[in-house]
Amino acid sequence: QVQLVESGGGLVQPGGSLRLSCAASGFTLDYYAIGWFRRAPGKEREGVSCISSSDGSTYYTDSVKGRFTISRDNAKNTVYLQMNSLKPEDTAVYYCAASWWCNPTIDEYDYWGQGTQVTVSS
């Protein structure tokens, strides 16, 4: 059974850090680009970051550049999103998804996790 499972979310104060994990089962992440997305209350789902399968190229939306870092550990079949200097506006449910490439079209990602809640609040 193909599955992506996110973990690592929680409540953190502004300026704090969290590391999200996206673990795959039923398939090998090596061949997939993995994207992180988020949906904040009352807002559309947006792309946050992506890491390619071919050369490990990484992409970030402007609002998280310099604060978030995406990485992958193919041996563990896991992708991570290190989030530093968190802001209240980062509060959202975060999802990971797999595609053949870092597709800018969200709906074309093949596999999705169930999401993990990140809340940034004092």
Side-chain angles (χ1 to χ4, degrees), residues 11-59:
L11 173 64
V12 63
Q13 291 186 341
S17 298
L18 285 173
R19 188 177 79 157
L20 305 184
S21 299
C22 172
S25 60
F27 71 106
T28 303
L29 277 183
D30 300 33
Y31 306 113
Y32 288 85
I34 301 298
W36 281 98
F37 303 85
R38 64 187 180 187
R39 187 192 299 273
K43 295 187 177 182
E44 296 291 319
R45 185 175 45 178
E46 68 167 340
V48 175
S49 182
C50 187
I51 185 165
S52 72
S53 60
S54 55
D55 60 2
S57 296
T58 58
Y59 306 90

Side-chain angles (χ1 to χ4, degrees), residues 47-51 57-71 80-82:
V48 175
S49 182
C50 187
I51 185 165
S57 296
T58 58
Y59 306 90
Y60 301 93
T61 193
D62 286 346
S63 63
V64 308
K65 283 180 181 176
R67 300 188 298 122
F68 290 11
T69 303
I70 191 171
S71 62
Y80 303 98
L81 185 68
Q82 178 67 44

